[in-house]
Amino acid sequence: RREQTRLRARVVEEDTEGWQRAPGFAGLRRVGGADLSYGSADGSGACASLVVLSYPALEVLYEDCRLVTVSAPYEAGFLAFREVPFLVEAVQRLQQEKPELEPQVLLVDGNGLLHHRGFGVACHLGVLTDLPCIGVAKNLLHVDGLARDELHREQVRSLQRAGDSFPLTGTSGRLLGMVLRSHSKSSRPLYISVGHRVCLETAVRLVQSCCRYRIPEPIRQADIRSRQYLRR
């Protein structure tokens, strides 16, 4: 908890790059996706996956899948300590072996500021790599009074078109993230939150621009490739 608090103080919740403010994200060339897929029943064997896609074409430029042994126990609210070290290692390998393909932003399967103590996986990875990072979760984390109650379900039903969204504000009054309908053919939303070095508005726009399907392509490709690797 102390380490989480110490790292939380380093999170930057604003845009820091010129491309983030440019129309159409001019200047953005590489978008990364990170994911960890578990392959063993006891949750110890997993595949850490990092991919880098071109932007805006969203073609895979780089792929790194490695089998890892997860030894840290699962503790609610502390998932990052279990998973992030393997993803940091993947980013470091890329920086050493193919520095020209380093992503300008990372999309992570998980939460950022939308977290019990405001420091989810996307924040943790962003701070340790010092890369702009965005949390993209498939389910709502019940934190700060947020709940998947009838009001929330009604708001989700109000999202009629791809790109429609509404804010997630906790009982504390803090804006924790946005609910986004990412694709016209899927009524199941995504939960977007700031990880590091990006503002929430930019995070939502970028995630939407990366969606060919419900899940943004960098995360989708990281997940597909990690599961294929585990099957092999």
Side-chain angles (χ1 to χ4, degrees):
R1 191 182 293 265
R2 284 194 301 270
E3 178 70 357
Q4 214 171 45
T5 301
R6 183 184 72 83
L7 293 173
R8 171 68 181 86
R10 292 166 53 185
V11 171
V12 176
E13 302 178 34
E14 302 171 353
D15 291 338
T16 61
E17 306 302 301
W19 62 261
Q20 293 168 328
R21 294 178 286 271
F25 296 120
L28 177 60
R29 297 289 180 263
R30 297 173 305 282
V31 180
D35 187 35
L36 202 100
S37 295
Y38 291 90
S40 61
D42 63 1
S44 63
C47 177
S49 176
L50 173 69
V51 299
V52 180
L53 276 61
S54 63
Y55 187 89
L58 301 177
E59 297 174 348
V60 176
L61 303 173
Y62 175 90
E63 169 187 350
D64 181 2
C65 293
R66 300 286 176 104
L67 289 177
V68 299
T69 300
V70 181
S71 57
Y74 172 74
E75 296 265 352
F78 296 96
L79 178 66
F81 290 95
R82 180 174 164 88
E83 297 186 349
V84 163
F86 304 112
L87 301 177
V88 170
E89 289 175 3
V91 171
Q92 290 172 341
R93 280 194 299 271
L94 168 58
Q95 291 169 331
Q96 293 167 5
E97 298 170 9
K98 296 279 188 178
E100 70 278 9
L101 294 180
E102 181 182 56
Q104 294 163 276
V105 59
L106 275 173
L107 273 57
V108 183
D109 183 5
N111 292 299
L113 296 180
L114 180 56
H115 178 266
H116 302 284
R117 285 169 298 281
F119 195 73
V121 169
C123 295
H124 207 127
L125 182 59
V127 166
L128 292 185
T129 61
D130 199 31
L131 290 172
C133 213
I134 299 170
V136 183
K138 294 184 282 290
N139 298 295
L140 175 65
L141 182 65
H142 292 202
V143 59
D144 196 9
L146 297 177
R148 195 170 178 275
D149 53 18
E150 183 53 39
L151 174 59
H152 181 79
R153 287 191 287 268
E154 183 179 330
Q155 289 176 306
V156 168
R157 286 193 293 269
S158 74
L159 305 177
Q160 296 296 308
R161 299 183 304 276
D164 286 354
S165 63
F166 65 86
L168 282 171
T169 304
T171 54
S172 65
R174 182 168 172 74
L175 178 61
L176 300 174
M178 294 286 286
V179 182
L180 170 69
R181 178 164 181 168
S182 58
H183 197 272
S184 59
K185 293 185 178 180
S186 176
S187 59
R188 297 172 61 201
L190 297 175
Y191 297 88
I192 314 300
S193 56
V194 168
H196 183 52
R197 292 178 57 190
V198 63
C199 76
L200 185 57
E201 179 187 356
T202 297
V204 172
R205 288 193 298 115
L206 180 60
V207 169
Q208 177 61 45
S209 74
C210 289
C211 288
R212 289 176 173 167
Y213 305 94
R214 178 192 175 217
I215 307 299
E217 203 63 14
I219 293 177
R220 180 173 169 271
Q221 289 298 328
D223 178 68
I224 287 172
R225 289 158 195 267
S226 64
R227 294 182 189 282
Q228 288 175 341
Y229 194 86
L230 285 171
R231 284 195 294 272
R232 289 199 300 270

